[in-house]
Amino acid sequence: MKTVLKVEPTELYKPHLLASQSFNVNILENTKSVDKYIAKGKFVKVKKKSRGYRLQALEYSRPYLVKKARTTLERMANQFATNTKSFFVVSSVTRTLEDQCRLRKVNSNASLGISSHNYGAAFDISYVRFDHQLKVNPKLEKELGKLLEQYKNLGKIFYIKEKQQSCYHVTVRNY
């Protein structure tokens, strides 16, 4: 785990880390550290389904976010549902360093260094899964892209389109 902390983030990724660190959450090392923030009321549970999104079964992350991140996710999803009458799939939420190390074994995209997922301020949205269907949907993917761009331009999020995992990595800013 110590090697994780030594990897320097890319220039593209630095704003994500700074944004996620601005919520005054220490890097999440293990389950105990997540539980501490839940007990303090700093982390809130992400619902399995809500208007505009569904949370896939999570193997390498936990269904918790800082309040602003959950609120942002819910607002984005609600707007997506209004615009498209569809829903997107959230494929990853908060991860501890332990979760990150486990994930690295199966996903080379998982950050070698610290991730904004390690602070409870990030989530991934699949761009190939809408309405319980795993297939490319150019119309819905375009709408999702427009929504992300809108939120980025409002100063509410940063996002990166990941190719290998077919998802957008979204970090919520402390706006």
Side-chain angles (χ1 to χ4, degrees), residues 49-62:
K49 71 187 252 192
S50 190
R51 184 168 192 269
Y53 82 85
R54 299 295 180 271
L55 189 62
Q56 81 170 31
L58 303 173
E59 286 181 66
Y60 298 97
S61 66
R62 295 133 198 270

Side-chain angles (χ1 to χ4, degrees), residues 24-121:
N24 296 321
V25 170
N26 293 325
I27 192 161
L28 301 166
E29 290 189 26
N30 51 34
T31 300
K32 207 166 110 183
S33 51
V34 174
D35 291 344
K36 185 180 80 176
Y37 287 109
I38 293 168
K40 282 185 187 173
K42 189 111 177 156
F43 282 176
V44 290
K45 195 162 179 73
V46 176
K47 294 178 199 146
K48 279 191 165 87
K49 71 187 252 192
S50 190
R51 184 168 192 269
Y53 82 85
R54 299 295 180 271
L55 189 62
Q56 81 170 31
L58 303 173
E59 286 181 66
Y60 298 97
S61 66
R62 295 133 198 270
Y64 292 93
L65 288 168
V66 292
K67 287 177 184 153
K68 186 163 279 179
R70 184 182 73 181
T71 301
T72 303
L73 167 62
E74 288 173 347
R75 285 186 180 146
M76 289 172 70
N78 198 28
Q79 192 174 335
F80 185 78
T82 299
N83 296 349
T84 65
K85 309 285 182 266
S86 291
F87 62 84
F88 57 72
V89 174
V90 176
S91 55
S92 189
V93 198
T94 294
R95 289 199 283 267
T96 65
L97 289 178
E98 285 176 354
D99 296 332
Q100 194 82 8
C101 289
R102 280 190 312 122
L103 180 59
R104 279 250 5 112
K105 292 176 182 149
V106 297
N107 171 4
S108 60
N109 249 30
S111 175
L112 259 172
I114 297 168
S115 164
S116 52
H117 285 286
N118 302 141
Y119 297 93

